Amino acid sequence: LPEAAAEHLRILIVGVSVIAVIVVFFISSLVAGNQRLRKKHIALRKSEAKYRSLFERSKESIVIFRPDGSILDINDAGMELFGFECKETLSHCNIKQVYPSDVDFDSLVITLMEKGFVKDRELVLRGRDGRMLTVIESCNAVFDDQGQIVTCESIYHDLTQWKRLEEELFNAQKLESIATLAGGVAHDFNNILAVILMNAQFGIEDSKSAVQLQNRFQEIKKAAGYASELTQKLLTFSRRQEFEPELVQLNDMIAENEDVLASLLGETIRLDLDLGSRLPYMLATPVQVHQVLMNLVTNAHDAMPDGGVVRIATRCVAKDDIPFETSPKADSRHYVLLTVSDTGVGMDDTTVSRMFEPFFTTKEVGKGTGLGLAVVHGIMERHRGHVRVVSEPEKGTTFMLYFPASDKTPAAVLPSVMHTSKQPQRHLTVLLAEDYERLLKANEQILGNMGYSVIAAANGLEAVRAFEACHGNIDLAVLDVVMPELGGVEAYQKMQERTPRLPVLFLTGYDAGRTLTNLKRLNQEHIVVLNKPYYLEEFVETVEKLSRLVARSTA
Ligand SMILES: Nc1ncnc2c1ncn2[C@@H]1O[C@H](COP(=O)(O)OP(=O)(O)OP(=O)(O)O)[C@@H](O)[C@H]1O
Ligand SMILES: [Mg+2]
C-alpha cells in the first residue's frame, strides 16, 4: 500500500476505536444512570409506602384539606372519629362541617397563614352524627412559591373519653368531700337531737296537767323526729350508717314493697312491674334497697304531676354487657339490674350532671331537700354497685342500678328462740359511759327513773376503772361507741375478761366499724346496738329487754 493510504487507514482505525470507546462509555453510563434511576424510584416507592402506612394506620386522625376546607385525604381513624362514611364521596365533604362554626375554622386558617402551623389547640368539634368531640388539634400548612397555602395537614387527638373520666373523677371527689362533711355534722347533730328528744319526753311527762304545754313538747318531739330523719339520710349518703348485707332476692323485695310503692304513686300513676325470672341472689341491706326504691319512685311521682307510668324491671346481666363508664368496683361476673323508669318531665343536662349532689333540688322550698338521689348514690357505693341515668326533657327518666350478683344462696335460716320469761326484777346496777355530757345526764336520769343504780363514766377508760373498782359487780353496761381515751367496744372487751356475757347496749352515732360488726356477728342476744338519736321508748324497751337476761341468768 502506498504510504498515504496506510496513514489514512491508521487514522480511520484510531477514529473508529475512539468512537467505539465513546459509544461504549456512553452506553455504559446510560445503563448506570438508568440503574441509579431505578434504584431511586424503588427507594421513593418504599418511602412513599412507609409514609402512606404511617398515614393510613395511625390511630390519630389525620386530615389533609385545602384552605377552603375541602378534604383531599383522610385516614381511617379520621373517618371513624368524625363519622364520614366512605372515602369515595369525600370530594363532597368539607372539614368545616365538624367545626362548631365557620369562625373557628377561619381562625385556624388565619393562624396558619401567619405562623405556618398550629400546635395543641383544644377545641370541641361535632361529629357527623352530632356527638360532641373534645380534641387536641395540631396543623401544618404547605405553601406554594407565591407564599399561598396549598394544603393543610391536620392531626386530631381525641380527648373525649379522657374528659369524661376527668369529670367523673372530679364529681366523685366532690361527692366524697361533701359526704365526709355531712357525715361529721350529722354525727354531732345526732347527740344534740337525742337530748332534745329526751327532754321533750320529760317535758311531756312533767306537764301532764297543763295540756297546752304538753302540746308544745309534742311539737318539739315531732320536729326533732323530722330532724333525726334528715340526719339519718345524711349518714346513709355519707356511708357512715351500718352496713350489714345479707343474701337477698331483689324480686322478693320489690314484691314486698309493691303496695307501699303503688300507694305512694297515687291513682293517676300506673305501676308496672316486669320482674325477670331466675335472678341470682345479691348481697344487700334490705332497708337500704327499700330506701333506694322509695326515693326513685318518689322522684318519679314528682316528675309526673299529670299522671303517667312507672315501670320497675329487674334482670340479670353479664358484666361484659354493661357499658360501665368507669371500671366496675366489684369483680362479679353478673349483676342484678334494677330499672326504674317514668314518663315524666325528664331532666336537662345541667340537672343530670348535678342530681347526685346533696341538697341539689329543682323543687320549691319545702318540697324537696335534695337528698334523695345523694342517698341512692351513697347506698349504691356501699353495695359496690353502679348507677346509670338516661333522661330527656319531656320524655321521661330511666334509672339503671347494677348490684353485683352473688354466686351464693342463703343457708336455711333456723327459727330464733324467743325468750319471753317474765322474771321479777331485782335491783340492778348499770354502768353508763358517754362523753357527751348532756346526753350522759339525760340517760342517767332515765335509768335512775327506771329504778336502776347508775354508775356514770365520761369515757371508756373511766368506765373500765369503775368496773374494776366494784369488782365486776355490774349487771348491765350502756356504752357510747365513739369516746375519747377508750371507745365503748374496747372498754367492753376489757370488761368481758371478768364477765364474758355482760349484757351491753351500745349507743352509736354511726357505724363504728368492723369491731362492732364483728361483735354483733357473734349474734349474741346480750349485745344490742341502738342508733342515735333514739326515742326514749326505744331506749327504755331495749334496756328492759337486756335486764330480763340478767334476771334469767341469775334466776
Ligand atoms: N325521675 C325524675 N324525673 C325528673 N327529674 C328528676 C327525677 N329524679 C330526680 N330528678 C331531679 O333531680 C333533683 C334531685 O333529686 P333528689 O331526689 O336528690 O332530690 P329531691 O327529690 O329534689 O328532694 P328529696 O328527694 O330530698 O325530697 C330533683 O329536684 C329533680 O330535679
Ligand atoms: Mg327525691
Side-chain angles (χ1 to χ4, degrees), residues 377-408:
H377 184 272
I379 290 177
M380 290 312 288
E381 286 285 301
R382 221 50 208 295
H383 285 79
R384 300 177 77 77
H386 189 78
V387 191
R388 286 178 59 218
V389 184
V390 178
S391 186
E392 211 180 311
E394 305 313 322
K395 294 254 169 73
T397 304
T398 301
F399 280 88
M400 283 156 276
L401 286 78
Y402 297 89
F403 291 91
S406 171
D407 43 15
K408 297 197 183 79

Side-chain angles (χ1 to χ4, degrees), residues 219-237:
E219 282 306 309
I220 295 177
K221 195 177 161 190
K222 227 192 287 174
Y226 288 141
S228 132
E229 276 169 30
L230 197 69
T231 52
Q232 223 46 48
K233 282 189 193 172
L234 279 177
L235 286 172
T236 316
F237 158 65

Side-chain angles (χ1 to χ4, degrees), residues 234-245:
L234 279 177
L235 286 172
T236 316
F237 158 65
S238 64
R239 281 168 271 143
R240 291 205 185 175
Q241 216 187 30
E242 272 192 59
F243 181 62
E244 287 191 358

Side-chain angles (χ1 to χ4, degrees), residues 47-57 64 73 87:
S47 153
E48 213 271 337
K50 191 165 76 187
Y51 288 109
R52 172 124 312 255
S53 154
L54 189 69
F55 174 82
E56 291 293 357
R57 302 181 58 198
I64 301 172
D73 206 352
K87 280 200 175 181

